[in-house]
Amino acid sequence: MALDLTLSPLYRVNGQEQNSLPGLVALTPPAAPARGRERDRLIAYLILAGNAVISSGEYAQAAEAAAVAFYQTPGALTTALKAAVEKTNKILLERNMNSAKNGQFAVGWLTLAAAREAQCTFALSGPMRVHCFCRGEIRHIHEPAVSGKGLGANQTPNIHYAQIPLEAGVRLLFFGRAPDSWKDVLEDRTPGSLDAMRRRLLTLSNEDLNAVLIQATEGTGVLNVLKKRSTETGEEPVDSTQLKPSPVEEAPPSVESIPQEKASASPAAHLVQPSAYAIPPQEAPHAADPTASLPRGSREFPPSIPRRQPIQNAPTAVSSAVLEDKPSESGQAVPSPRLRRRREPPEWTRRAAKAAAAAIQAVRLAKERSAKRFKAFLPRLLPTAEPVEPYAPSNFTMAGIAITVPLIVVVVMFVVWTKYGRSQQYETHLALARQKREQALVLTQPIEQRRAWESVLLSVGIAESHTKTEETVSIRREAETKLDELLGITRLQFSPAFSGGLGVEISRMAASESDLFLLNAEKGEALRAQPSASGRGFQIDASFNCKPGVYGNYTVGPLVDILTLPVLNSINATMLGIDAAGNLLYCAPGQVALAIPLSPPDTNWKRVTAFTMSDGNLYVLDAPARAVWVYNGKDGAFIDRPYFFFGGQTPEKQDVIDLLVSGDDLYMLHADGHLSACSYSRLETKPTRCEDPVRLINPFPAYQDENIFSSAHFTQMFFAALPDPSILLLDADAQSVFRFSPRTFELQNQIRPARENANSIPAGAIGAAAIAPNHVLYLAVNGQVYFAANMP
């Protein structure tokens, strides 16, 4: 963590700049984070819209919960970001469901920024914006079609991923909505110092503001949070604090957010960026204004939306009786303006209340009769003729009876419902599933068929929640098979490669017909696995040495990518790795690894992120430099100086995460999941041309009402095994591999694990994938590798 990040909140409510921004959390890794989170620093920025009143505690809880989920989630970085977004969405969704009866709701707009070394990865939900003042360019990250409308409205949140290189001098601006007067600042490539830009943003507009300005500088990985000027609050001008949360396991104190000030310095509750239907603040006696941070500007409301009217000269005590309607001049009754007429409860509610009252009265009478009989019977058991005082049960006995009797009633009711009620629920939903199945069988339109079978799965799932039978299993399998046919999904049987798992995060894999190579993401070390003697899986080759270290006169850092070499090569190596500085490491079983640095390009390296090989030539991706360098190879050696693939046309974006080459065609996968393609020109009169983005075609009619590519999370691309020239894209979250035809990029099918398999892949994002020349597909999930043979 060689970069310090300075956060400067821009938070103004009702013309007053506040000392702290609710919903802003900035964290360094805790003492015991999950595997893979040791080097990640997180900034969570949450804005809540809607008409609900949100307290400061609830605001902080929602933002802190995202940070806790992030540091407790192992595996890939995007997996942790997704878990943090889902946690915040769950909190807001439950709150909205509880407050729906009052007509209140809150929608969350969330920006998560995870900084790791020289990269910053974003996860945006809702119409959030990230403006990057990068070196020599301005980037605006905003994809509302992908990030959706916000959190708290659906069970599945929409997330837009993006990535930028992080270096000293980079400045970021997070916001949801910006005043029109900020337009010139956002387009200024030389915005000046951080303090000057902050003053400029504050003075250009008198509107309420909610934004965060971030500056990256050289340092030691400290997170600094600036506060407002001392002329406004009498405090110190700058409060630079390195946030060090306690271990994540000790929630909620495990996360330390930006400290909240006293009630006199900031509102007691916050409602930032309200929607057009937000309820204006109301004054309440002896209580702080719960909506003090709402904008006070005048706004016209449609007459169909009910508005709460203040009660003038309200008496100190009001009778619970309903005021009579006053007759108008026309003789018709007019509702009282002070109190609305009480709505009569429905008939079934009154009956239920009467039944409950009768049951309570019966329990009381039974208890009194039992006590009287017990008092009369006890003296007769005593061997004396003297009068005996009647027995008076103690308070403890009476309390025991009061608890035991209702408990017995509840147990009896539960047993009756379990025996008869669950069976009735099962029969109801099973009959509904049968009916929907019959309707689906007669439909002819693919879209209607897909929706019908999805409805069948929903009904049979509810029925199985009560009782699972052979009939429900049969209906479920039929529906799943029909859906796979409509959606072009091929299911494969996967088996675990290692009996006890590896326990490490795998970021890359490469496979030959006999060997499987794995890249340990944490250590940057390559592992070799070979088929076990029993033939039921794989075993790690302990003698294989291919890791960072000193080899002769060269020092190799952690490997960032690996690939297999042709059988015939001059170095007799089976695997080739590369580090971020362009050093190649040739490895082979039973041999000492050989390090050979690549000749650096004229602009030198910034950071090598991936490489691939085609027709004996090596293609090296330097994403921060927006460059792909080509090395002509000879028998596996690359000693010549490279040439620039793009010629005079340099790509605009730095977010390429993977690449493939076929002949003169280069395919690049970007962090947000879209593809770009370039065709190299060997003629000086015809420059190299690129298509960005590449349009993906979905030919399946059942998909025509939705865009399946926008919801996919593509993280890796590779070619299918020869002679198939198809391009495969890995959707890590859905555990699916999309197969596309080259050049046209038309979807051919999807490959997914088989359902209800004893050795099926567990839930979780896929970290890496590879395919061997003998058509064996490998997937790495949660420290284990799964393989399926005979991939079509």
PDB file of all heavy atoms in Angstrom, residues 12-15 177-181 202 204-210:
ATOM      1  N   ARG A  12     -23.524  19.381   2.329  1.00  0.00           N
ATOM      2  CA  ARG A  12     -24.188  20.617   2.734  1.00  0.00           C
ATOM      3  C   ARG A  12     -25.690  20.375   2.746  1.00  0.00           C
ATOM      4  O   ARG A  12     -26.260  19.855   1.788  1.00  0.00           O
ATOM      5  CB  ARG A  12     -23.836  21.748   1.761  1.00  0.00           C
ATOM      6  CG  ARG A  12     -24.427  23.103   2.176  1.00  0.00           C
ATOM      7  CD  ARG A  12     -23.762  24.224   1.408  1.00  0.00           C
ATOM      8  NE  ARG A  12     -23.879  24.068  -0.038  1.00  0.00           N
ATOM      9  CZ  ARG A  12     -23.095  24.682  -0.916  1.00  0.00           C
ATOM     10  NH1 ARG A  12     -22.118  25.474  -0.503  1.00  0.00           N
ATOM     11  NH2 ARG A  12     -23.276  24.504  -2.209  1.00  0.00           N
ATOM     12  N   VAL A  13     -26.330  20.751   3.853  1.00  0.00           N
ATOM     13  CA  VAL A  13     -27.770  20.569   4.039  1.00  0.00           C
ATOM     14  C   VAL A  13     -28.366  21.899   4.477  1.00  0.00           C
ATOM     15  O   VAL A  13     -27.895  22.506   5.446  1.00  0.00           O
ATOM     16  CB  VAL A  13     -28.062  19.475   5.088  1.00  0.00           C
ATOM     17  CG1 VAL A  13     -29.561  19.332   5.292  1.00  0.00           C
ATOM     18  CG2 VAL A  13     -27.457  18.158   4.658  1.00  0.00           C
ATOM     19  N   ASN A  14     -29.391  22.338   3.760  1.00  0.00           N
ATOM     20  CA  ASN A  14     -30.075  23.595   4.082  1.00  0.00           C
ATOM     21  C   ASN A  14     -29.097  24.770   4.167  1.00  0.00           C
ATOM     22  O   ASN A  14     -29.209  25.647   5.037  1.00  0.00           O
ATOM     23  CB  ASN A  14     -30.836  23.463   5.402  1.00  0.00           C
ATOM     24  CG  ASN A  14     -31.885  22.376   5.341  1.00  0.00           C
ATOM     25  OD1 ASN A  14     -32.439  22.109   4.272  1.00  0.00           O
ATOM     26  ND2 ASN A  14     -32.150  21.737   6.466  1.00  0.00           N
ATOM     27  N   GLY A  15     -28.113  24.778   3.294  1.00  0.00           N
ATOM     28  CA  GLY A  15     -27.156  25.869   3.248  1.00  0.00           C
ATOM     29  C   GLY A  15     -26.035  25.773   4.257  1.00  0.00           C
ATOM     30  O   GLY A  15     -25.144  26.613   4.255  1.00  0.00           O
ATOM     31  N   ARG A 177     -25.878  12.946  -7.646  1.00  0.00           N
ATOM     32  CA  ARG A 177     -26.359  14.022  -8.513  1.00  0.00           C
ATOM     33  C   ARG A 177     -25.437  15.217  -8.346  1.00  0.00           C
ATOM     34  O   ARG A 177     -24.980  15.504  -7.242  1.00  0.00           O
ATOM     35  CB  ARG A 177     -27.781  14.421  -8.146  1.00  0.00           C
ATOM     36  CG  ARG A 177     -28.811  13.305  -8.328  1.00  0.00           C
ATOM     37  CD  ARG A 177     -30.137  13.695  -7.737  1.00  0.00           C
ATOM     38  NE  ARG A 177     -31.139  12.647  -7.875  1.00  0.00           N
ATOM     39  CZ  ARG A 177     -32.183  12.510  -7.087  1.00  0.00           C
ATOM     40  NH1 ARG A 177     -32.364  13.371  -6.094  1.00  0.00           N
ATOM     41  NH2 ARG A 177     -33.052  11.541  -7.265  1.00  0.00           N
ATOM     42  N   ALA A 178     -25.197  15.913  -9.416  1.00  0.00           N
ATOM     43  CA  ALA A 178     -24.293  17.063  -9.379  1.00  0.00           C
ATOM     44  C   ALA A 178     -25.025  18.299  -9.889  1.00  0.00           C
ATOM     45  O   ALA A 178     -25.837  18.207 -10.820  1.00  0.00           O
ATOM     46  CB  ALA A 178     -23.053  16.805 -10.234  1.00  0.00           C
ATOM     47  N   PRO A 179     -24.765  19.465  -9.290  1.00  0.00           N
ATOM     48  CA  PRO A 179     -25.366  20.694  -9.817  1.00  0.00           C
ATOM     49  C   PRO A 179     -24.890  20.965 -11.242  1.00  0.00           C
ATOM     50  O   PRO A 179     -23.801  20.545 -11.650  1.00  0.00           O
ATOM     51  CB  PRO A 179     -24.871  21.771  -8.839  1.00  0.00           C
ATOM     52  CG  PRO A 179     -24.445  21.035  -7.610  1.00  0.00           C
ATOM     53  CD  PRO A 179     -23.961  19.704  -8.075  1.00  0.00           C
ATOM     54  N   ASP A 180     -25.701  21.672 -12.009  1.00  0.00           N
ATOM     55  CA  ASP A 180     -25.322  22.004 -13.382  1.00  0.00           C
ATOM     56  C   ASP A 180     -24.076  22.885 -13.428  1.00  0.00           C
ATOM     57  O   ASP A 180     -23.324  22.852 -14.412  1.00  0.00           O
ATOM     58  CB  ASP A 180     -26.492  22.712 -14.088  1.00  0.00           C
ATOM     59  CG  ASP A 180     -27.700  21.795 -14.240  1.00  0.00           C
ATOM     60  OD1 ASP A 180     -27.502  20.563 -14.219  1.00  0.00           O
ATOM     61  OD2 ASP A 180     -28.825  22.326 -14.362  1.00  0.00           O
ATOM     62  N   SER A 181     -23.843  23.638 -12.364  1.00  0.00           N
ATOM     63  CA  SER A 181     -22.695  24.541 -12.346  1.00  0.00           C
ATOM     64  C   SER A 181     -21.370  23.805 -12.213  1.00  0.00           C
ATOM     65  O   SER A 181     -20.306  24.405 -12.351  1.00  0.00           O
ATOM     66  CB  SER A 181     -22.840  25.543 -11.198  1.00  0.00           C
ATOM     67  OG  SER A 181     -23.028  24.873  -9.956  1.00  0.00           O
ATOM     68  N   LEU A 202     -17.630  23.938  -3.812  1.00  0.00           N
ATOM     69  CA  LEU A 202     -18.558  24.448  -2.800  1.00  0.00           C
ATOM     70  C   LEU A 202     -19.120  25.816  -3.169  1.00  0.00           C
ATOM     71  O   LEU A 202     -20.276  26.124  -2.868  1.00  0.00           O
ATOM     72  CB  LEU A 202     -17.855  24.527  -1.443  1.00  0.00           C
ATOM     73  CG  LEU A 202     -17.554  23.202  -0.740  1.00  0.00           C
ATOM     74  CD1 LEU A 202     -16.709  23.428   0.501  1.00  0.00           C
ATOM     75  CD2 LEU A 202     -18.855  22.486  -0.370  1.00  0.00           C
ATOM     76  N   LEU A 204     -19.428  27.132  -6.292  1.00  0.00           N
ATOM     77  CA  LEU A 204     -20.123  27.226  -7.572  1.00  0.00           C
ATOM     78  C   LEU A 204     -21.625  27.066  -7.449  1.00  0.00           C
ATOM     79  O   LEU A 204     -22.368  27.452  -8.345  1.00  0.00           O
ATOM     80  CB  LEU A 204     -19.587  26.167  -8.537  1.00  0.00           C
ATOM     81  CG  LEU A 204     -18.253  26.489  -9.223  1.00  0.00           C
ATOM     82  CD1 LEU A 204     -17.791  25.314 -10.068  1.00  0.00           C
ATOM     83  CD2 LEU A 204     -18.375  27.747 -10.087  1.00  0.00           C
ATOM     84  N   SER A 205     -22.090  26.480  -6.348  1.00  0.00           N
ATOM     85  CA  SER A 205     -23.518  26.224  -6.200  1.00  0.00           C
ATOM     86  C   SER A 205     -23.933  26.443  -4.753  1.00  0.00           C
ATOM     87  O   SER A 205     -23.151  26.181  -3.827  1.00  0.00           O
ATOM     88  CB  SER A 205     -23.843  24.791  -6.638  1.00  0.00           C
ATOM     89  OG  SER A 205     -25.184  24.475  -6.356  1.00  0.00           O
ATOM     90  N   ASN A 206     -25.163  26.933  -4.580  1.00  0.00           N
ATOM     91  CA  ASN A 206     -25.741  27.087  -3.251  1.00  0.00           C
ATOM     92  C   ASN A 206     -26.679  25.939  -2.898  1.00  0.00           C
ATOM     93  O   ASN A 206     -27.326  25.967  -1.850  1.00  0.00           O
ATOM     94  CB  ASN A 206     -26.512  28.417  -3.157  1.00  0.00           C
ATOM     95  CG  ASN A 206     -25.584  29.619  -3.281  1.00  0.00           C
ATOM     96  OD1 ASN A 206     -24.434  29.577  -2.830  1.00  0.00           O
ATOM     97  ND2 ASN A 206     -26.068  30.674  -3.912  1.00  0.00           N
ATOM     98  N   GLU A 207     -26.776  24.945  -3.782  1.00  0.00           N
ATOM     99  CA  GLU A 207     -27.662  23.820  -3.530  1.00  0.00           C
ATOM    100  C   GLU A 207     -27.081  22.906  -2.452  1.00  0.00           C
ATOM    101  O   GLU A 207     -25.896  23.005  -2.095  1.00  0.00           O
ATOM    102  CB  GLU A 207     -27.861  23.021  -4.825  1.00  0.00           C
ATOM    103  CG  GLU A 207     -28.416  23.825  -5.982  1.00  0.00           C
ATOM    104  CD  GLU A 207     -28.523  22.971  -7.231  1.00  0.00           C
ATOM    105  OE1 GLU A 207     -28.532  21.738  -7.095  1.00  0.00           O
ATOM    106  OE2 GLU A 207     -28.590  23.539  -8.337  1.00  0.00           O
ATOM    107  N   ASP A 208     -27.936  21.996  -1.955  1.00  0.00           N
ATOM    108  CA  ASP A 208     -27.457  20.970  -1.042  1.00  0.00           C
ATOM    109  C   ASP A 208     -26.536  20.029  -1.801  1.00  0.00           C
ATOM    110  O   ASP A 208     -26.789  19.682  -2.955  1.00  0.00           O
ATOM    111  CB  ASP A 208     -28.617  20.181  -0.439  1.00  0.00           C
ATOM    112  CG  ASP A 208     -29.431  21.034   0.521  1.00  0.00           C
ATOM    113  OD1 ASP A 208     -28.951  22.113   0.897  1.00  0.00           O
ATOM    114  OD2 ASP A 208     -30.543  20.605   0.886  1.00  0.00           O
ATOM    115  N   LEU A 209     -25.457  19.586  -1.146  1.00  0.00           N
ATOM    116  CA  LEU A 209     -24.445  18.759  -1.797  1.00  0.00           C
ATOM    117  C   LEU A 209     -24.243  17.475  -1.011  1.00  0.00           C
ATOM    118  O   LEU A 209     -24.363  17.449   0.221  1.00  0.00           O
ATOM    119  CB  LEU A 209     -23.108  19.507  -1.893  1.00  0.00           C
ATOM    120  CG  LEU A 209     -23.108  20.837  -2.646  1.00  0.00           C
ATOM    121  CD1 LEU A 209     -21.725  21.468  -2.600  1.00  0.00           C
ATOM    122  CD2 LEU A 209     -23.547  20.631  -4.095  1.00  0.00           C
ATOM    123  N   ASN A 210     -23.903  16.422  -1.748  1.00  0.00           N
ATOM    124  CA  ASN A 210     -23.543  15.137  -1.135  1.00  0.00           C
ATOM    125  C   ASN A 210     -22.572  14.455  -2.080  1.00  0.00           C
ATOM    126  O   ASN A 210     -22.967  13.850  -3.071  1.00  0.00           O
ATOM    127  CB  ASN A 210     -24.783  14.275  -0.904  1.00  0.00           C
ATOM    128  CG  ASN A 210     -24.474  13.072  -0.044  1.00  0.00           C
ATOM    129  OD1 ASN A 210     -23.501  12.374  -0.257  1.00  0.00           O
ATOM    130  ND2 ASN A 210     -25.317  12.828   0.939  1.00  0.00           N
TER     131      ASN A 210
END
